[in-house]
Amino acid sequence: GQNIDQPTEMTATEGAIVQINCTYQTSGFNGLFWYQQHAGEAPTFLSYNVLDGLEEKGRFSSFLSRSKGYSYLLLKELQMKDSASYLCAVRDGDYKLSFGAGTTVTVRA
Amino acid sequence: GAVVSQHPSRVICKSGTSVKIECRSLDFQATTMFWYRQFPKQSLMLMATSNEGSKATYEQGVEKDKFLINHASLTLSTLTVTSAHPEDSSFYICSAREVGGSSPLHFGNGTRLTVT
């Protein structure tokens, strides 16, 4: 099975940087994903890591350490529209995704 | 980009009736589709994995006779909630994996089911 932990809530100021950590213990690993989900909507894909290191995509970056079972999502230059839930998900060898409970990020002016 | 269409987006039904939710991959063939359920302020919980032409694989605790899944083609999977009860009210989301693809899953827009 999968055990995925991430903080419940985080608050930051517009223009700032926020780092959302995710730790996992899994029975199989075939990649780690970060999704953004606004209330009442489906998740949208943000980033994907399968090898150790940092992946950068514009204002969003994601890091993975497989030996530590650890990942983080870094959001830079926060905007009000970034207020959402951020889901860490681990994919196993059968391509099933298991999701963490999500981190609600609130961006304040 | 790859698009997954889910229909209906919202449905209200009476207790005891059945509801069918469709999930279609619009511009790619999906060898595998996944059905998730999400309760308010909770994360997505995988219900079942649907493979084209074969029986779905259900996660532990999910009643296969209550949540009927049919994956009749490489572009369509359906979830039927049979004899729905108020506790089945939830947000149901499908996702699809491209044939031979290791890319991220593509999600439908979800179906908000309310059982009265």
Side-chain angles (χ1 to χ4, degrees), chain A residues 37 42 91 95-97 99-100, chain B residues 34 36 38 43 59 102 104 108:
Chain A
Q37 185 179 28
R91 184 171 66 184
Y95 290 92
K96 289 197 306 186
L97 273 183
F99 286 84
Chain B
F34 302 91
Y36 291 85
Q38 186 176 35
S43 192
E59 296 299 301
S102 61

Side-chain angles (χ1 to χ4, degrees), chain B residues 64-111:
Chain B
K64 62 180 181 180
D65 293 330
K66 180 169 185 61
F67 299 99
L68 301 179
I69 292 173
N70 186 302
H71 194 155
S73 74
L74 283 172
T75 60
L76 174 64
S77 176
T78 61
L79 167 68
T80 301
V81 182
T82 63
S83 186
H85 291 287
E87 58 264 30
D88 298 324
S89 298
S90 187
F91 192 49
Y92 292 87
I93 308 174
C94 71
S95 65
R97 180 172 85 90
E98 292 184 56
V99 173
S102 61
S103 58
L105 295 180
H106 308 292
F107 283 87
N109 285 330
T111 297

Side-chain angles (χ1 to χ4, degrees), chain B:
Chain B
V3 176
V4 174
S5 173
Q6 189 172 338
H7 178 79
S9 57
R10 292 180 182 273
V11 58
I12 301 172
C13 70
K14 292 185 177 180
S15 187
T17 61
S18 294
V19 174
K20 179 185 283 189
I21 302 170
E22 292 189 348
C23 181
R24 294 180 184 272
S25 55
L26 296 185
D27 54 359
F28 65 98
Q29 292 185 323
T31 184
T32 307
M33 289 187 175
F34 302 91
W35 287 95
Y36 291 85
R37 179 169 54 184
Q38 186 176 35
F39 291 106
K41 298 190 177 182
Q42 295 186 26
S43 192
L44 283 76
M45 296 300 296
L46 180 65
M47 298 175 66
T49 303
S50 166
N51 292 295
E52 186 266 337
S54 63
K55 290 183 178 181
T57 303
Y58 290 82
E59 296 299 301
Q60 192 172 8
V62 179
E63 299 176 58
K64 62 180 181 180
D65 293 330
K66 180 169 185 61
F67 299 99
L68 301 179
I69 292 173
N70 186 302
H71 194 155
S73 74
L74 283 172
T75 60
L76 174 64
S77 176
T78 61
L79 167 68
T80 301
V81 182
T82 63
S83 186
H85 291 287
E87 58 264 30
D88 298 324
S89 298
S90 187
F91 192 49
Y92 292 87
I93 308 174
C94 71
S95 65
R97 180 172 85 90
E98 292 184 56
V99 173
S102 61
S103 58
L105 295 180
H106 308 292
F107 283 87
N109 285 330
T111 297
R112 174 75 58 193
L113 171 64
T114 303
V115 184
T116 60

